[in-house]
Amino acid sequence: MSAPAKTARSLDDLVAVGAVPRTTAEGPTLRAVSERYAVAVTPAVLASMRSTDPASDPVARQYIPTAEEATTAPEELGDPIGDHAFSPVKGIVHRYSDRVLLKALHACPVYCRFCFRREQVGPGGEALDGAELARALDYIRTHEAVWEVILTGGDPLMLAPRRLVEIVAALDAIPHVGVIRLHSRVPVADPSRVTAELVAALRSVRAAVYVALHCNHAQELAAEARSALRLMSDSGIPLLSQTVLLRGVNDDAATLEALFRALVQARVKPYYLHHPDLARGTGHFRLSIAEGQALMRALRGRVSGLCQPTYVLDIPGGHGKVPVGPCYVDLPKEQVTDPNGGTHLYPPPAKDCA
Ligand SMILES: *Cc1c(COP(=O)(O)O)cnc(C)c1O
Ligand code: SF4
């Protein structure tokens, strides 16, 4: 695709840039879907698609709305990971004692069709105003157990550098905050935003600043995206990645292998592979945990440990994230499985060894 100048923000914009055929856009279902769930496709993302057909391109499938999103399964939820119940003040989610989410804004550079917060993010979702941000920072200041603050949203790298400077400085000044982590899709979705000024805005004095990139396919790591990541890692920011396991995007071992190798080579450590959440209208992206485990097992023997993320599920209802295997140990049988599937005995320590 040749890149247009600005972000497509509606079905009509997508038709205008040739990403959705006019005849497809005429169906009432697709129109309803694209009005219900926000649409945004940046020029960089459009340029990384080999085809704009969501059925045949792993990047198009993540961003181009389809009529399948009109189907809501009974188990799907508006707030699939239960953020709401753990929000003591606006913009804060405090589920684990040592860390909080700080959601300063609800805008993203792109809107992913499988987003777990798709009913909270979007152009209509408001950012925290000055007083709300001050209250959120006060909450962190007065909760000394909070060691890590995770800026998410929305995408914190959509904030203007001058606002990021204020937030990073305020957090850096809180003695018990040791880590400031930013979750972002900007380096792959809109790499031109990653300027020297933006990277300088992430500079801290005391707390460590980490960036966790959301990236689901090696095709998203085009030259501009890799340069954006290099700018951040060259300035000393440790980079992690989060990948959502998605049917039709990255649900085969070769695709995941290529992605994790490309990330590690871009100095990004794969952190989590997320089992897809039960967000409304996303059933066509979901696979079973058994399928996810089989993929992780396939990766174990064939790629470096550096390339292995932890496969996690965020338990619906706000019960937290847990690794979901696969497990190589069978304690009752006192047995472990090797990467090739062979089994071996491993006895427990003798009870009278003291
Ligand atoms: C995912 C999440 C975190 C971060 O969890 P890690 O396992 O530390 O990456 C923190 N708070 C909430 C509410 C979360 O959903
Ligand atoms: S970037 Fe993240 S929060 Fe924004 S739409 Fe995509 S998955 Fe949702």
Tab-separated table of all heavy atoms in Angstrom, residues 229-258:
chain	number	residue	atom	x	y	z
A	229	LEU	N	12.455	2.074	18.009
A	229	LEU	CA	12.875	1.259	19.152
A	229	LEU	C	14.344	1.500	19.474
A	229	LEU	O	14.750	1.580	20.631
A	229	LEU	CB	12.628	-0.228	18.855
A	229	LEU	CG	11.147	-0.608	18.745
A	229	LEU	CD1	11.004	-2.016	18.168
A	229	LEU	CD2	10.456	-0.520	20.105
A	230	ARG	N	15.135	1.643	18.426
A	230	ARG	CA	16.575	1.875	18.624
A	230	ARG	C	16.811	3.209	19.344
A	230	ARG	O	17.650	3.314	20.229
A	230	ARG	CB	17.274	1.866	17.262
A	230	ARG	CG	18.754	2.154	17.330
A	230	ARG	CD	19.472	1.702	16.065
A	230	ARG	NE	19.702	0.277	16.081
A	230	ARG	CZ	20.851	-0.285	16.498
A	230	ARG	NH1	21.845	0.457	16.906
A	230	ARG	NH2	20.994	-1.582	16.498
A	231	LEU	N	16.026	4.211	18.982
A	231	LEU	CA	16.164	5.514	19.635
A	231	LEU	C	15.924	5.365	21.138
A	231	LEU	O	16.628	5.954	21.965
A	231	LEU	CB	15.146	6.482	19.017
A	231	LEU	CG	15.389	7.970	19.116
A	231	LEU	CD1	16.721	8.368	18.495
A	231	LEU	CD2	14.246	8.733	18.419
A	232	MET	N	14.934	4.547	21.489
A	232	MET	CA	14.640	4.368	22.910
A	232	MET	C	15.705	3.523	23.595
A	232	MET	O	16.174	3.871	24.678
A	232	MET	CB	13.250	3.755	23.079
A	232	MET	CG	12.164	4.723	22.623
A	232	MET	SD	10.525	4.317	23.208
A	232	MET	CE	10.161	2.959	22.196
A	233	SER	N	16.102	2.419	22.960
A	233	SER	CA	17.086	1.566	23.648
A	233	SER	C	18.442	2.266	23.707
A	233	SER	O	19.159	2.133	24.699
A	233	SER	CB	17.163	0.177	23.023
A	233	SER	OG	17.545	0.239	21.682
A	234	ASP	N	18.787	3.043	22.679
A	234	ASP	CA	20.054	3.776	22.728
A	234	ASP	C	20.086	4.773	23.880
A	234	ASP	O	21.153	5.110	24.383
A	234	ASP	CB	20.306	4.522	21.412
A	234	ASP	CG	20.886	3.614	20.335
A	234	ASP	OD1	21.252	2.455	20.655
A	234	ASP	OD2	20.966	4.046	19.173
A	235	SER	N	18.904	5.249	24.270
A	235	SER	CA	18.913	6.200	25.383
A	235	SER	C	18.810	5.481	26.732
A	235	SER	O	18.635	6.122	27.761
A	235	SER	CB	17.797	7.232	25.209
A	235	SER	OG	16.606	6.697	25.682
A	236	GLY	N	18.924	4.158	26.713
A	236	GLY	CA	19.013	3.422	27.977
A	236	GLY	C	17.700	2.908	28.525
A	236	GLY	O	17.638	2.464	29.668
A	237	ILE	N	16.633	2.947	27.730
A	237	ILE	CA	15.341	2.461	28.208
A	237	ILE	C	15.242	0.960	27.936
A	237	ILE	O	15.320	0.541	26.777
A	237	ILE	CB	14.180	3.194	27.496
A	237	ILE	CG1	14.257	4.699	27.767
A	237	ILE	CG2	12.824	2.630	27.928
A	237	ILE	CD1	13.283	5.517	26.931
A	238	PRO	N	15.093	0.133	28.973
A	238	PRO	CA	14.900	-1.295	28.721
A	238	PRO	C	13.545	-1.511	28.026
A	238	PRO	O	12.539	-0.899	28.405
A	238	PRO	CB	14.890	-1.919	30.121
A	238	PRO	CG	15.372	-0.860	31.047
A	238	PRO	CD	15.079	0.455	30.400
A	239	LEU	N	13.551	-2.375	27.010
A	239	LEU	CA	12.332	-2.594	26.230
A	239	LEU	C	11.835	-4.027	26.422
A	239	LEU	O	12.611	-4.979	26.350
A	239	LEU	CB	12.605	-2.343	24.737
A	239	LEU	CG	13.138	-0.954	24.364
A	239	LEU	CD1	13.445	-0.880	22.870
A	239	LEU	CD2	12.111	0.124	24.734
A	240	LEU	N	10.528	-4.131	26.632
A	240	LEU	CA	9.840	-5.418	26.765
A	240	LEU	C	8.754	-5.454	25.708
A	240	LEU	O	8.409	-4.416	25.146
A	240	LEU	CB	9.158	-5.525	28.134
A	240	LEU	CG	9.992	-5.245	29.369
A	240	LEU	CD1	9.072	-5.143	30.581
A	240	LEU	CD2	10.997	-6.363	29.551
A	241	SER	N	8.194	-6.646	25.482
A	241	SER	CA	7.046	-6.679	24.570
A	241	SER	C	5.913	-7.490	25.162
A	241	SER	O	6.119	-8.377	25.985
A	241	SER	CB	7.428	-7.287	23.223
A	241	SER	OG	7.732	-8.652	23.397
A	242	GLN	N	4.722	-7.151	24.710
A	242	GLN	CA	3.528	-7.934	25.010
A	242	GLN	C	2.880	-8.257	23.687
A	242	GLN	O	2.729	-7.393	22.829
A	242	GLN	CB	2.542	-7.128	25.851
A	242	GLN	CG	3.192	-6.532	27.071
A	242	GLN	CD	2.171	-6.201	28.125
A	242	GLN	OE1	1.575	-7.097	28.705
A	242	GLN	NE2	1.961	-4.936	28.365
A	243	THR	N	2.504	-9.533	23.552
A	243	THR	CA	1.863	-9.999	22.335
A	243	THR	C	0.535	-10.623	22.717
A	243	THR	O	0.450	-11.322	23.734
A	243	THR	CB	2.772	-11.043	21.647
A	243	THR	OG1	3.964	-10.394	21.227
A	243	THR	CG2	2.087	-11.701	20.457
A	244	VAL	N	-0.493	-10.353	21.938
A	244	VAL	CA	-1.770	-11.031	22.147
A	244	VAL	C	-1.836	-12.173	21.141
A	244	VAL	O	-1.586	-11.976	19.948
A	244	VAL	CB	-2.966	-10.075	21.956
A	244	VAL	CG1	-4.271	-10.782	22.320
A	244	VAL	CG2	-2.798	-8.812	22.793
A	245	LEU	N	-2.128	-13.362	21.640
A	245	LEU	CA	-2.256	-14.532	20.774
A	245	LEU	C	-3.605	-14.421	20.053
A	245	LEU	O	-4.649	-14.349	20.704
A	245	LEU	CB	-2.196	-15.791	21.642
A	245	LEU	CG	-2.256	-17.133	20.937
A	245	LEU	CD1	-1.141	-17.284	19.903
A	245	LEU	CD2	-2.185	-18.259	21.966
A	246	LEU	N	-3.562	-14.362	18.732
A	246	LEU	CA	-4.773	-14.064	17.965
A	246	LEU	C	-4.941	-15.006	16.778
A	246	LEU	O	-4.022	-15.138	15.948
A	246	LEU	CB	-4.687	-12.627	17.422
A	246	LEU	CG	-4.614	-11.517	18.465
A	246	LEU	CD1	-4.153	-10.209	17.815
A	246	LEU	CD2	-5.973	-11.333	19.141
A	247	ARG	N	-6.104	-15.608	16.699
A	247	ARG	CA	-6.386	-16.487	15.564
A	247	ARG	C	-6.296	-15.672	14.269
A	247	ARG	O	-6.830	-14.571	14.171
A	247	ARG	CB	-7.788	-17.111	15.699
A	247	ARG	CG	-8.061	-18.067	14.566
A	247	ARG	CD	-9.312	-18.920	14.718
A	247	ARG	NE	-9.450	-19.687	15.947
A	247	ARG	CZ	-8.731	-20.782	16.263
A	247	ARG	NH1	-7.778	-21.210	15.456
A	247	ARG	NH2	-8.970	-21.403	17.385
A	248	GLY	N	-5.594	-16.241	13.299
A	248	GLY	CA	-5.503	-15.584	11.993
A	248	GLY	C	-4.438	-14.504	11.927
A	248	GLY	O	-4.233	-13.903	10.875
A	249	VAL	N	-3.787	-14.231	13.070
A	249	VAL	CA	-2.724	-13.219	13.086
A	249	VAL	C	-1.379	-13.885	13.399
A	249	VAL	O	-0.409	-13.728	12.659
A	249	VAL	CB	-3.009	-12.103	14.117
A	249	VAL	CG1	-1.822	-11.146	14.245
A	249	VAL	CG2	-4.276	-11.331	13.729
A	250	ASN	N	-1.344	-14.621	14.492
A	250	ASN	CA	-0.060	-15.187	14.935
A	250	ASN	C	-0.241	-16.557	15.579
A	250	ASN	O	0.542	-16.932	16.451
A	250	ASN	CB	0.631	-14.206	15.899
A	250	ASN	CG	-0.248	-13.856	17.091
A	250	ASN	OD1	-1.203	-14.576	17.403
A	250	ASN	ND2	0.056	-12.765	17.767
A	251	ASP	N	-1.277	-17.307	15.169
A	251	ASP	CA	-1.553	-18.580	15.828
A	251	ASP	C	-0.839	-19.762	15.178
A	251	ASP	O	-1.421	-20.838	15.029
A	251	ASP	CB	-3.073	-18.823	15.908
A	251	ASP	CG	-3.749	-18.864	14.549
A	251	ASP	OD1	-3.195	-18.280	13.587
A	251	ASP	OD2	-4.820	-19.478	14.425
A	252	ASP	N	0.414	-19.566	14.782
A	252	ASP	CA	1.212	-20.729	14.392
A	252	ASP	C	2.648	-20.512	14.846
A	252	ASP	O	3.095	-19.369	15.029
A	252	ASP	CB	1.111	-21.013	12.886
A	252	ASP	CG	1.743	-19.924	12.073
A	252	ASP	OD1	1.053	-18.934	11.780
A	252	ASP	OD2	2.943	-20.049	11.777
A	253	ALA	N	3.339	-21.617	15.080
A	253	ALA	CA	4.661	-21.553	15.716
A	253	ALA	C	5.661	-20.767	14.879
A	253	ALA	O	6.461	-20.001	15.429
A	253	ALA	CB	5.165	-22.972	15.988
A	254	ALA	N	5.622	-20.904	13.560
A	254	ALA	CA	6.609	-20.207	12.723
A	254	ALA	C	6.423	-18.694	12.824
A	254	ALA	O	7.393	-17.934	12.886
A	254	ALA	CB	6.473	-20.670	11.272
A	255	THR	N	5.167	-18.234	12.876
A	255	THR	CA	4.881	-16.796	12.983
A	255	THR	C	5.354	-16.258	14.331
A	255	THR	O	5.959	-15.183	14.402
A	255	THR	CB	3.369	-16.552	12.799
A	255	THR	OG1	3.012	-17.024	11.505
A	255	THR	CG2	3.004	-15.100	12.937
A	256	LEU	N	5.079	-17.000	15.390
A	256	LEU	CA	5.522	-16.554	16.720
A	256	LEU	C	7.046	-16.565	16.799
A	256	LEU	O	7.656	-15.639	17.345
A	256	LEU	CB	4.925	-17.454	17.812
A	256	LEU	CG	3.418	-17.305	18.024
A	256	LEU	CD1	2.927	-18.346	19.037
A	256	LEU	CD2	3.052	-15.903	18.504
A	257	GLU	N	7.659	-17.590	16.236
A	257	GLU	CA	9.126	-17.663	16.249
A	257	GLU	C	9.715	-16.442	15.535
A	257	GLU	O	10.615	-15.782	16.059
A	257	GLU	CB	9.581	-18.955	15.563
A	257	GLU	CG	11.090	-19.037	15.454
A	257	GLU	CD	11.586	-20.312	14.762
A	257	GLU	OE1	10.807	-21.276	14.619
A	257	GLU	OE2	12.759	-20.316	14.369
A	258	ALA	N	9.193	-16.125	14.355
A	258	ALA	CA	9.711	-14.973	13.592
A	258	ALA	C	9.505	-13.684	14.382
A	258	ALA	O	10.379	-12.808	14.424
A	258	ALA	CB	9.014	-14.893	12.231
